[in-house]
């Protein structure tokens, strides 16, 4: 289901990029909301957002603009429980989000689009890794600042006593400094994260899949060392570290966009260089 939007402030610099609002139903019956910009070709790049983010995050919009300026069509959407999409927000949820992505790609294929690449930032980077390991139907995959060691980074969000609290209460509320509840973490959702094995997923990715990891050397959320782990275990892999860049590439958006666009647009040229 798609309907043209009357206007698009996000993409006013690219008047040729017609934008459509698309509704995709995932396998749980939840409606996922996305924006499609096709550039006169059936080739599409799907862009996936990160944790507690959305399709309208500036890093996602900037990547979309960079690709459409090069004539590459894009689809950006909200995972279930995020942004405009239906469903309850869940901590963890990596496998469900990989399934959401599969629903999106299946829908685009049914509409006669050719998904040329998938791109994910942060948690979205982990989702595209999982997707490639399970479905093996997209030949170019881009992981931006994904986390390899999923057992790490939890204490920073949930506090030092998170495991004791969850064992006792069955859940933990993540709050702002003022006490507002941002989201609830259940024991089930925490265990889903802890049992998601990125090492195993990497080893399951086909050699036919061209894989690109980009990471900032000054990432304050996920250390750049995780990028080297992806490079070590994914068979057909290229690594690009952007010196001085933080997790959201705040001062390095052009370097990020250039690297992603160059890799994706070279994907049909047989560029199989590895890290």
């Amino acid at each position: 289901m798609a309907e043209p939007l009357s206007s698009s402030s996000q993409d006013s610099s690219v008047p040729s990029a017609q934008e459509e609002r698309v509704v995709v139903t995932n396998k749980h019956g939840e409606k996922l909301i996305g924006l499609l910009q096709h550039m006169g070709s059936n080739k599409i790049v799907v862009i996936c957002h990160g944790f507690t983010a959305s399709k309208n995050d500036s890093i996602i919009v900037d990547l979309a603009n960079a690709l459409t300026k090069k004539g590459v069509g894009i689809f950006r959407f909200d995972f279930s429980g995020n942004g405009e999409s239906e469903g309850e927000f869940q901590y963890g949820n990596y496998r469900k989000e990989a399934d959401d992505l599969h629903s999106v790609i299946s829908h685009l294929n049914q509409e006669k689009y050719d998904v040329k690449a998938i791109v994910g930032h942060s948690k979205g980077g982990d989702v595209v890794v999982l997707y490639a390991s399970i479905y093996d139907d997209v030949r170019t995959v881009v992981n931006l600042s994904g986390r390899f060691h999923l057992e790490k980074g939890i204490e920073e969000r949930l506090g030092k006593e998170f495991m004791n609290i969850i064992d006792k209460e069955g859940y933990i509320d993540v709050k702002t400094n003022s006490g507002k509840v941002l989201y609830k973490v259940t024991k089930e959702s925490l265990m889903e994260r802890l049992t998601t094995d990125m090492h195993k997923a990497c080893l399951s990715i086909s050699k036919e899949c061209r894989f690109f990891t980009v990471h900032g050397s000054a990432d304050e959320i996920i250390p750049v060392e995780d990028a080297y782990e992806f490079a070590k275990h994914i068979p057909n892999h290229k690594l690009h570290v952007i010196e001085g860049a933080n997790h959201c590439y705040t001062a390095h958006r052009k370097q990020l966009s250039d690297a992603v666009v160059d890799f994706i647009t070279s994907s049909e040229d047989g560029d199989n260089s590895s890290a």
Side-chain angles (χ1 to χ4, degrees):
M1 187 192 315
E3 55 188 43
L5 295 183
S6 58
S7 63
S8 172
S9 60
Q10 303 277 26
D11 305 296
S12 58
S13 61
V14 194
S16 61
Q18 182 184 6
E19 188 175 84
E20 294 178 355
R21 180 182 172 89
V22 177
V23 180
V24 177
T25 303
N26 69 10
K27 71 179 191 179
H28 302 280
E30 297 159 340
K31 290 182 172 61
L32 309 177
I33 308 302
L35 294 173
L36 173 69
Q37 292 167 268
H38 49 82
M39 304 299 296
S41 162
N42 71 330
K43 295 187 185 299
I44 292 288
V45 174
V46 178
I47 309 175
C48 303
H49 66 76
F51 183 67
T52 65
S54 81
K55 65 183 178 303
N56 294 323
D57 268 30
S58 64
I59 190 169
I60 303 300
V61 173
D62 285 352
L63 285 167
N65 286 341
L67 285 161
T68 56
K69 283 175 183 174
K70 291 294 185 180
V72 180
I74 66 93
F75 184 78
R76 52 189 170 98
F77 72 103
D78 296 324
F79 285 114
S80 52
N82 292 266
E84 295 182 274
S85 291
E86 293 180 349
E88 184 181 355
F89 176 83
Q90 301 256 350
Y91 184 82
N93 234 24
Y94 293 85
R95 296 177 186 88
K96 185 183 179 190
E97 292 190 356
D99 287 342
D100 282 353
L101 179 55
H102 186 243
S103 296
V104 163
I105 291 173
S106 297
H107 176 86
L108 291 170
N109 289 339
Q110 288 167 11
E111 295 296 317
K112 308 303 181 187
Y113 288 101
D114 174 16
V115 179
K116 182 177 182 180
I118 51 178
V119 181
H121 174 245
S122 193
K123 185 185 180 187
D126 290 308
V127 171
V128 298
V129 172
L130 281 180
Y131 186 91
S133 74
I134 297 167
Y135 294 106
D136 188 29
D137 59 359
V138 177
R139 284 290 174 253
T140 300
V141 180
V142 181
N143 159 35
L144 309 176
S145 309
R147 188 183 292 278
F148 185 86
H149 298 290
L150 289 179
E151 73 279 6
K152 297 183 179 179
I154 299 173
E155 184 178 299
E156 288 84 345
R157 290 192 191 274
L158 307 187
K160 290 185 177 181
E161 297 298 315
F162 73 90
M163 207 65 222
N164 290 335
I165 295 171
I166 283 182
D167 281 338
K168 181 181 178 182
E169 305 290 341
Y171 70 93
I172 188 169
D173 285 330
V174 177
K175 302 177 181 179
T176 64
N177 291 336
S178 62
K180 179 186 176 183
V181 176
L182 294 173
Y183 53 89
K184 184 187 298 288
V185 179
T186 63
K187 188 168 186 177
E188 181 184 15
S189 64
L190 176 63
M191 294 313 297
E192 194 268 351
R193 170 169 172 156
L194 292 173
T195 57
T196 300
D197 188 340
M198 298 309 293
H199 177 260
K200 182 179 179 181
C202 289
L203 296 178
S204 300
I205 295 174
S206 166
K207 292 179 182 177
E208 301 302 313
C209 177
R210 296 175 66 254
F211 207 100
F212 188 38
T213 293
V214 183
H215 214 105
S217 68
D219 192 319
E220 74 286 12
I221 305 293
I222 300 172
V224 69
E225 286 75 18
D226 283 38
Y228 290 97
E229 292 296 320
F230 285 116
K232 189 187 302 180
H233 299 293
I234 294 174
N236 183 5
H237 188 280
K238 182 176 181 180
L239 173 64
H240 182 63
V241 175
I242 298 180
E243 289 300 321
N246 63 11
H247 188 62
C248 289
Y249 302 86
T250 309
H252 297 81
R253 287 288 169 84
K254 186 177 188 306
Q255 293 95 315
L256 173 66
S257 295
D258 287 350
V260 172
V261 170
D262 287 350
F263 186 80
I264 288 174
T265 55
S266 72
S267 66
E268 294 179 336
D269 301 331
D271 176 11
N272 290 324
S273 54
S274 58

